Amino acid sequence: MSNLYYDEIDSPIGALLVVFHGDDIVRIDYGTMEIMEQRLKKWTERYFTEPVFIKSPDKAAPVKRDFDDYFNGESKAFSFPFTFHGTPFQKQVWQVLYDGIPYGKTTTYKDIAIKIQNPKAVRAVGGAVNKNPLSIVVPCHRVIGSSGKMVGYNGGLDKKEYLLTFEKNNAS
């Protein structure tokens, strides 16, 4: 049995569902446990033995502070530990997203494919970006199409536009 702790954090773009395994964050999704529970169960069953969800506002308090600082424009990065759970290819893409896209900037799926030394993997990169388990922290919202247009975002294009505008306005 695997205990997974969670809490819901209010943000300017709606509720964020934060899930921990031990001290590490393993997922951050848009929505509440009520909305996300079935999808979350399906995901966690791939990586954890008999997952049990336990609401834990105390455990989430430092994460909430980090998100408050981010959305108040006081911090451009997050300090809490996290762990990726996915395929080796997905983890490679997510690491490039995390390490390689500066706050307030954007990149393209093609640029990421080139960074992972697999320039023909643009569609596969798009699939990995779409499966990013750590919304906002791993900044998939900073990925745009090669044409410069906004393209899909799990949280919805309205949230993506909000985050990009917010970061651009607070980048200096």
Side-chain angles (χ1 to χ4, degrees):
M1 192 163 59
S2 298
N3 288 340
L4 297 171
Y5 300 91
Y6 76 93
D7 199 16
E8 297 158 4
I9 297 173
D10 290 327
S11 82
I13 52 177
L16 298 172
L17 178 62
V18 179
V19 180
F20 297 81
H21 182 249
D23 290 330
D24 287 3
I25 302 288
V26 294
R27 276 198 78 87
I28 300 171
D29 288 298
Y30 293 103
T32 61
M33 180 56 97
E34 183 179 356
I35 292 167
M36 297 299 299
E37 188 169 11
Q38 291 309 313
R39 182 176 162 195
L40 188 59
K41 279 183 180 179
K42 187 177 176 182
W43 181 85
T44 55
E45 286 170 355
R46 280 187 234 149
Y47 305 107
F48 301 97
T49 307
E50 298 178 43
V52 175
F53 296 98
I54 302 165
K55 188 168 175 82
S56 181
D58 290 344
K59 197 167 193 54
V63 176
K64 182 183 182 330
R65 278 191 298 277
D66 262 15
F67 272 105
D68 286 347
D69 290 348
Y70 171 84
F71 282 114
N72 288 330
E74 297 166 10
S75 177
K76 295 174 174 66
F78 297 91
S79 61
F80 48 80
F82 60 84
T83 302
F84 291 132
H85 291 277
T87 68
F89 180 81
Q90 288 171 333
K91 291 177 183 180
Q92 182 183 27
V93 170
W94 300 333
Q95 195 66 55
V96 168
L97 291 174
Y98 183 73
D99 292 332
I101 313 172
Y103 182 96
K105 303 289 184 190
T106 58
T107 194
T108 66
Y109 298 98
K110 183 178 181 177
D111 291 338
I112 294 168
I114 290 167
K115 282 184 182 177
I116 64 168
Q117 299 178 346
N118 196 345
K120 295 184 182 204
V122 176
R123 284 183 186 265
V125 165
V129 170
N130 179 264
K131 299 264 190 283
N132 172 18
L134 296 166
S135 295
I136 304 172
V137 175
V138 175
C140 58
H141 59 277
R142 297 180 193 153
V143 183
I144 59 173
S146 292
S147 66
K149 289 187 177 184
M150 296 277 187
V151 289
Y153 185 63
N154 256 346
L157 286 180
D158 59 326
K159 290 177 176 66
K160 183 174 190 159
E161 288 175 18
Y162 176 93
L163 291 167
L164 289 175
T165 301
F166 173 79
E167 289 183 355
K168 186 177 179 186
N169 291 340
N170 287 286
S172 55

